[in-house]
């Protein structure tokens, strides 16, 4: 292994390690604006330059591998001056306005300028042309602020296999964006927001809907209720300086109540409901396939992740019959809040405003889908990201850290641990198995602590299988059947898995797909920045939340049982069909 | 690798659906090859005379490359054009050698003579004007090309003579025949 000296400290690192990563081992942080660990090292921003003894020019440390005996200096006069010049040049083009920028105080360029102690910018020249693109429901782009680091290009192309963003044109006129510099709605974009999650500056953000929520809360004629997705409770604390992986469920509920929502509900409630509906849908398909020997679309794909739905619609329209017809928990919640809950509290659907807090940009897009109005009006009125909720709490002057722990409101607020784990890649599958296994055998899922270890963790594609034995009489046709399941997170992994399934190389009964790497805990709307280490901490927090609950199986949720008794009747019944299930349609890719 | 046969728009006489069918054959031939995008774009430009949206979308789907990526490559190379060009394409080199030896003045003279700006086509559809960065003919600087003919050591005062020699269809045809022979 090569030995190198970095700022006087010797380290030994594996062959091929970049200077940047070797420096981390030596306890030296080299600043960068384009590097993304394990994803993207292209030396685009030039901020990471270092001096290598004997080399004529400075080296971009993110792309320069170490060589044995290298002597590297990361803050010589030459390096400091070069770095300063690079940042000044970036700022001379940067068409931003820090005070009114979405990323004020959360901007990597701003932070670096501060760190370098820049007091003025020596260079004057043209600014990058401002170009605000608000054409899509969830993502806002401003080319004027873009520093062309190409992180978004890497996540959109490599991680998500979408390729909506790519460098267009050349030289100073280069813009990072959709084909020929047009707006995002002209190309196939799934609205996952992973671009916004990695953007170092304010060039890509969520479309803010904070004003709409304040307006609804100010309107005394409206009853405003809120639902919170499972992943938010494991990340919201980061908006207030807490360690990633801090669970803030109770404080989050308290904060929402103080913001003025009439009722604080849990998307977990409809996550449990999803398991009942989607689990029975799977059993229905298995019955058709195994018992009736009829042709049926298997594997069944999960449908909770709206980026994945859009991806299917654009890239695999022929596979749409394989998707579960279940709406996502967010949309189930909206439809039920404006029918079931409205009836319970004697309100009209049009007088209720449903706000959701999601780790996601695509949920904004999903809430705007024209078919999502089965309550008679738009089912979910506003979808906020985790970051937007954090900002609202600050705007209200709430001292988040000092809040007491409070519980969700009843009727649509109870949840089991099975719902919490929807936030993690593999969680929906595990939750479904916990219920389906018990429906079929009358016994608990035979894994330690109700977990399915092969489906846990950050691997992009995971699989598991189990042979069903000891079935209840009604399900005897499943006796001895080996149930095969697979889980993929990130759309490039989803694509790889779907291609294998299409080619007949693998076969499964049930497949869970999450758009974002690691699942919703790594969603585009989560606090920045999300790294694999932070993903893992949030995943662990979610499993802790699950394990800390008395009820950990969706079919045990008392409020879910109540809604079937009072309102829905039975899973896959007439009311469910109307309110909880939907259809999808092909979209033109180009 | 096939190279662009012609940049003129005279082949536009062939209707679009025929050209798209030919493009499909090309895409099929290249789809499994790595680095297929640029050669396919070159051939497509040869077929259509430029790169119409319908062809680019066909290429995007056929090669399984996102439309933004295809557009990014088209927009990066000045060689590619997304607007129809005139019968003759004039390219002025503004690479370093040509630039210092008067390429800029040559460009200005051509602009003035044709009455169009870079990227435009004359109203009679006879000439389109573009700039390029280095033809690899630095020893002949300043250089321009008209269609596939390279003109060396061009003087601003004489550009009208070069341009006018392409005003008749026969000259363009002759030039093409000469090219095809070689």
């Amino acid at each position: 292994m090569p030995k190198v000296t970095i700022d006087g400290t010797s380290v030994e690192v594996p062959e091929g390690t970049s200077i940047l990563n070797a420096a981390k081992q030596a306890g030296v942080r080299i600043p960068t604006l384009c590097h993304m660990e394990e994803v993207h090292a292209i030396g685009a921003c030039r901020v990471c330059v270092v001096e290598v003894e004997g080399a004529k020019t400075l080296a971009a440390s993110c792309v320069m591998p170490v060589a044995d005996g290298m002597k590297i200096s990361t803050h010589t006069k030459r390096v400091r001056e070069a770095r300063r010049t690079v940042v000044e040049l970036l700022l001379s083009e940067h068409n931003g306005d820090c005070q009114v920028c979405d990323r004020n105080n959360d901007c990597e360029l701003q932070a670096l300028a501060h760190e370098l102690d820049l007091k003025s910018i020596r260079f004057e020249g043209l600014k990058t042309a401002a170009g605000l693109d608000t054409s899509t429901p969830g993502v806002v782009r401003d080319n004027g602020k873009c520093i062309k680091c190409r992180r978004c290009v890497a996540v959109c192309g490599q991680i998500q296999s979408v390729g909506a963003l790519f460098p267009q044109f050349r030289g100073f006129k280069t813009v990072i964006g959709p084909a020929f510099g047009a707006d995002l709605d002209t190309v196939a974009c799934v609205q996952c927001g992973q671009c916004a999650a990695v953007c170092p500056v304010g060039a890509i953000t969520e479309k803010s809907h904070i004003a709409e929520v304040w307006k609804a809360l100010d309107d005394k004629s409206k009853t405003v209720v809120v639902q919170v997705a499972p992943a938010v409770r494991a990340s919201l604390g980061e908006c207030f300086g807490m360690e990633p992986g801090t669970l803030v469920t109770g404080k989050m509920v308290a904060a929402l109540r103080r913001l003025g929502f009439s009722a604080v509900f849990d998307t977990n409630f409809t996550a449990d409901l999803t398991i009942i509906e989607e689990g029975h849908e799977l059993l229905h398909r298995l019955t058709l396939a195994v018992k009736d020997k009829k042709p049926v679309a298997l594997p069944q794909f999960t449908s909770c992740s709206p980026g994945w739905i859009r991806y299917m619609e654009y890239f695999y329209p022929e596979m749409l019959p394989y998707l579960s017809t279940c709406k996502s928990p967010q949309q189930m919640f909206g439809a039920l809040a404006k029918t079931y809950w409205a009836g319970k509290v004697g309100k009209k659907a049009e007088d209720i405003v449903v706000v959701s807090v999601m780790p996601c940009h695509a949920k904004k897009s999903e809430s705007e889908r024209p078919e999502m109005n089965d309550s008679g009006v738009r089912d979910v009125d506003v979808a906020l990201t985790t970051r937007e909720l954090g900002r609202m709490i600050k705007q209200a002057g709430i001292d988040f850290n000092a809040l007491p722990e409070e519980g969700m409101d009843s009727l649509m607020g109870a949840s089991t641990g099975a719902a919490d784990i929807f936030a993690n890649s593999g969680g929906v599958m595990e939750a479904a198995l916990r219920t389906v296994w018990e429906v079929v055998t009358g016994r608990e899922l035979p894994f330690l602590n109700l977990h399915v270890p092969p489906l846990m963790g950050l691997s992009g594609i995971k699989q598991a299988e189990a042979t069903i034995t000891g079935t209840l009489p009604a399900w005897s046709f499943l006796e001895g059947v080996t149930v095969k399941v697979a889980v993929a997170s990130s759309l490039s992994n989803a694509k790889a898995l779907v291609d294998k399934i299409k080619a007949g190389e693998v076969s499964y009964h049930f497949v869970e797909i999450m758009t974002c790497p690691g699942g919703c805990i790594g969603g585009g709307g989560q606090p920045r920045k999300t790294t694999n280490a932070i993903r893992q901490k949030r995943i662990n927090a979610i499993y802790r939340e699950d394990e800390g609950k008395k009820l950990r199986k969706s079919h045990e949720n008392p409020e879910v049982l109540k809604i079937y008794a009072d309102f829905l009747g039975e899973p896959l019944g007439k009311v469910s069909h109307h309110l909880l299930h939907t259809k999808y349609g092909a979209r033109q890719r180009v | 690798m096939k190279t662009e046969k012609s940049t003129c728009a005279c082949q536009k006489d062939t209707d679009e659906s025929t050209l798209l069918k030919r493009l499909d054959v090309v895409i099929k031939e290249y789809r499994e090859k790595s680095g297929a995008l640029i050669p396919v774009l070159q051939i497509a430009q040869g077929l259509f005379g430029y790169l119409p949206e319908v062809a680019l979308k066909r290429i995007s789907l056929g090669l399984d490359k996102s439309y933004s990526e295809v557009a990014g490559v088209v927009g990066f190379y000045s060689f590619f054009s997304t607007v129809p060009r005139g019968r003759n394409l004039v390219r002025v080199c503004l690479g370093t050698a040509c630039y210092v030896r008067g390429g800029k003045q040559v460009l200005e003279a051509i602009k003035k003579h044709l009455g169009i700006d870079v990227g435009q086509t004359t109203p009679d559809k006879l000439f389109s004007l573009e700039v390029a960065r280095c033809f690899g003919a630095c020893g002949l600087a300043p250089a321009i090309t008209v269609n596939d003919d390279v003109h060396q050591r061009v003087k601003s005062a004489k550009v009208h003579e070069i341009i006018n020699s392409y005003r008749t269809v026969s000259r363009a045809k002759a030039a093409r025949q000469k090219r095809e022979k070689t």
Side-chain angles (χ1 to χ4, degrees):
Chain A
M1 291 211 299
K3 261 190 206 162
V4 296
T5 311
I6 301 173
D7 293 343
T9 304
S10 287
V11 281
E12 206 175 324
V13 291
E15 194 85 38
T17 306
S18 68
I19 294 177
L20 184 90
N21 284 331
K24 272 184 203 156
Q25 278 196 43
V28 176
R29 186 185 57 89
I30 299 173
T32 162
L33 291 173
C34 69
H35 182 251
M36 277 193 295
E37 209 168 325
E38 289 164 33
V39 180
H40 183 57
I42 57 166
C45 75
R46 316 310 290 177
V47 166
C48 71
V49 287
V50 295
E51 197 163 354
V52 179
E53 196 179 282
K56 235 160 72 179
T57 55
L58 298 177
S61 63
C62 69
V63 285
M64 172 72 99
V66 295
D68 194 42
M70 239 182 204
K71 286 198 174 67
I72 299 147
S73 305
T74 73
H75 57 264
T76 58
K77 183 166 185 275
R78 194 171 165 214
V79 169
R80 291 197 315 271
E81 277 171 5
R83 204 171 274 161
R84 193 188 167 89
T85 303
V86 165
V87 175
E88 279 186 73
L89 284 167
L90 283 173
L91 285 169
S92 75
E93 287 181 20
H94 183 65
N95 198 348
D97 199 348
C98 288
Q99 293 88 338
V100 291
C101 178
D102 190 78
R103 297 296 297 275
N104 189 15
N105 276 330
D106 174 34
C107 169
E108 294 179 42
L109 179 63
Q110 189 190 49
L112 186 57
H114 183 64
E115 184 178 303
L116 296 177
D117 205 20
L118 294 189
K119 297 290 189 235
S120 62
I121 295 155
R122 284 171 288 168
F123 313 112
E124 261 179 54
L126 285 177
K127 293 268 177 197
T128 313
L132 203 61
D133 172 7
T134 57
S135 64
T136 60
V139 177
V140 174
R141 300 167 49 253
D142 184 353
N143 277 324
K145 293 176 183 168
C146 175
I147 59 166
K148 297 158 188 90
C149 69
R150 290 158 168 78
R151 281 186 192 168
C152 57
V153 177
V155 288
C156 193
Q158 293 165 44
I159 305 292
Q160 300 297 54
S161 289
V162 170
L165 303 175
F166 202 82
Q168 307 291 326
F169 315 118
R170 191 173 187 168
F172 184 73
K173 288 182 184 149
T174 303
V175 293
I176 309 295
F180 298 116
D183 281 350
L184 199 50
D185 65 347
T186 63
V187 293
C189 164
V190 303
Q191 297 280 289
C192 69
Q194 284 296 311
C195 52
V198 298
C199 183
V201 294
I204 313 180
T205 60
E206 68 266 68
K207 186 178 274 181
S208 175
H209 290 96
I210 292 176
E212 281 86 340
V213 178
W214 282 125
K215 193 176 162 209
L217 289 168
D218 289 341
D219 185 345
K220 295 302 163 217
S221 70
K222 300 284 184 195
T223 303
V224 191
V225 302
V226 65
Q227 55 163 325
V228 197
V232 178
R233 63 208 66 194
S235 63
L236 181 65
E238 292 166 42
C239 298
F240 304 95
M242 294 183 189
E243 246 316 278
T246 308
L247 280 170
V248 294
T249 320
K251 287 184 191 296
M252 175 181 80
V253 174
L256 289 165
R257 215 161 263 143
R258 279 152 184 75
L259 285 174
F261 290 102
S262 300
V264 180
F265 287 139
D266 207 337
T267 313
N268 273 11
F269 166 76
T270 34
D272 276 333
L273 196 62
T274 299
I275 290 300
I276 308 299
E277 292 290 328
E278 198 162 345
H280 279 89
E281 187 186 359
L282 176 67
L283 286 171
H284 176 66
R285 291 194 196 194
L286 285 174
T287 306
L288 288 175
V290 180
K291 191 177 169 199
D292 306 341
K293 311 279 181 223
K294 283 188 178 155
V296 61
L298 279 175
Q300 175 175 306
F301 285 93
T302 58
S303 56
C304 311
S305 182
W308 158 239
I309 301 284
R310 278 181 79 107
Y311 190 75
M312 277 279 237
E313 290 178 327
Y314 277 125
F315 296 92
Y316 291 98
E318 73 282 7
M319 298 290 283
L320 286 172
Y322 293 81
L323 268 178
S324 162
T325 59
C326 284
K327 288 180 186 171
S328 74
Q330 164 177 275
Q331 294 305 134
M332 284 192 184
F333 182 95
L336 291 173
K338 293 192 178 184
T339 52
Y340 166 67
W341 187 76
K344 293 275 186 189
V345 295
K347 300 269 181 200
K348 282 192 264 176
E350 50 268 40
D351 294 330
I352 297 173
V353 176
V354 173
V355 174
S356 61
V357 185
M358 299 282 141
C360 191
H361 291 237
K363 288 285 172 191
K364 289 179 184 276
S365 157
E366 181 186 53
S367 74
E368 287 186 19
R369 286 176 76 108
E371 71 273 21
M372 294 293 177
N373 56 1
D374 288 327
S375 65
V377 292
R378 186 170 151 176
D379 293 334
V380 173
D381 298 274
V382 190
L384 297 177
T385 62
T386 310
R387 295 189 293 262
E388 284 175 285
L389 174 60
R391 201 165 295 174
M392 278 190 79
I393 293 170
K394 286 177 188 168
Q395 284 172 15
I398 296 167
D399 182 356
F400 189 79
N401 292 269
L403 285 172
E405 313 252 322
E406 294 181 8
M408 302 270 182
D409 288 308
S410 63
L411 283 181
M412 300 181 74
S415 68
T416 72
D420 287 305
I421 59 174
F422 266 58
N424 293 349
S425 162
V428 176
M429 183 58 71
E430 187 176 302
L433 291 176
R434 287 182 192 175
T435 286
V436 169
W437 193 271
E438 209 161 308
V439 168
V440 171
T441 68
R443 287 172 284 116
E444 265 196 355
L445 187 67
F447 291 109
L448 183 70
N449 206 6
L450 288 175
H451 291 312
V452 188
L455 302 182
M456 299 167 85
L458 280 172
S459 303
I461 299 177
K462 299 171 275 193
Q463 52 179 347
E465 55 179 61
T467 305
I468 306 174
T469 54
T471 47
L472 293 171
W475 301 101
S476 58
F477 60 92
L478 290 175
E479 184 71 29
V481 170
T482 300
V483 177
K484 294 181 180 176
V485 301
V487 167
S489 72
S490 96
L491 293 173
S492 62
N493 286 318
K495 179 181 163 63
L497 185 62
V498 172
D499 285 345
K500 276 188 170 176
I501 291 169
K502 277 184 72 180
E505 291 169 35
V506 287
S507 72
Y508 300 101
H509 296 100
F510 196 18
V511 177
E512 176 205 293
I513 307 279
M514 290 296 155
T515 304
C516 295
C520 305
I521 49 92
Q526 293 281 55
R528 297 182 181 95
K529 295 183 343 198
T530 300
T531 62
N532 271 348
I534 290 174
R535 283 188 186 95
Q536 191 59 55
K537 284 180 182 173
R538 294 178 188 155
I539 285 173
N540 297 346
I542 288 292
Y543 284 125
R544 279 204 308 281
E545 184 86 338
D546 161 38
E547 287 159 8
K549 281 194 175 156
K550 240 188 220 143
L551 300 177
R552 297 181 58 208
K553 292 172 282 189
S554 296
H555 55 277
E556 293 175 342
N557 182 326
E559 290 182 358
V560 167
L561 297 175
K562 184 174 165 59
I563 200 175
Y564 277 110
D566 290 1
F567 186 71
L568 291 172
E570 54 175 350
L572 309 182
K574 210 175 151 199
V575 186
S576 288
H577 183 77
H578 173 54
L579 292 176
L580 308 182
H581 292 259
T582 188
K583 281 193 198 125
Y584 316 99
R587 287 173 195 263
Q588 195 105 37
R589 195 169 130 193
V590 289
Chain B
M1 191 175 85
K2 287 181 187 174
T3 51
E4 185 196 34
K5 286 270 161 50
S6 165
T7 54
C8 76
C10 46
Q11 289 189 21
K12 275 197 62 132
D13 307 339
T14 319
D15 75 75
E16 191 176 86
S17 64
T18 311
L19 292 174
L20 284 172
K21 272 185 203 139
R22 283 198 224 160
L23 179 61
D24 286 339
V25 175
V26 174
I27 291 170
K28 211 174 153 196
E29 186 189 330
Y30 276 85
R31 71 189 314 159
E32 302 302 328
K33 296 180 184 167
S34 67
L37 181 55
I38 288 177
V40 170
L41 287 171
Q42 284 176 302
I43 295 165
Q45 183 154 297
L47 284 171
F48 291 85
Y50 71 111
L51 291 168
E53 191 177 295
V54 59
L56 292 177
K57 291 189 167 173
R58 192 73 71 112
I59 292 168
S60 161
L61 285 173
L63 296 181
D64 199 18
K65 296 257 180 224
S66 80
Y67 189 51
S68 296
E69 180 176 349
V70 172
V73 171
V74 170
F76 184 84
Y77 293 104
S78 57
F79 180 82
F80 293 126
S81 172
T82 55
V83 289
R85 286 160 162 167
R87 196 181 292 277
N88 300 292
L89 175 62
V90 182
R91 286 196 177 101
V92 179
C93 182
L94 290 181
T96 311
C98 289
Y99 190 90
V100 298
R101 297 198 57 174
K104 195 81 191 282
Q105 287 81 343
V106 170
L107 176 65
E108 290 309 317
I110 294 173
K111 274 195 209 165
K112 203 172 158 202
H113 179 68
L114 291 176
I116 53 171
D117 213 332
V118 173
Q120 292 181 338
T121 298
T122 53
D124 61 8
K125 304 267 185 283
L126 271 182
F127 293 98
S128 292
L129 177 60
E130 286 177 8
V131 294
R133 311 283 161 188
C134 198
F135 301 139
C138 306
L140 311 174
I144 70 169
T145 59
V146 182
N147 305 328
D148 286 353
D149 307 330
V150 180
H151 296 268
Q152 52 174 298
R153 299 205 176 90
V154 179
K155 292 187 175 68
S156 311
K158 301 263 181 169
V159 290
H160 62 279
E161 286 174 19
I162 299 173
I163 300 294
N164 287 341
S165 72
Y166 288 86
R167 284 203 184 270
T168 55
V169 180
S170 57
R171 172 66 200 261
K173 261 191 186 162
R176 198 161 68 243
Q177 278 163 1
K178 188 182 146 205
R179 278 201 309 278
E180 278 163 8
K181 249 185 227 169
T182 53

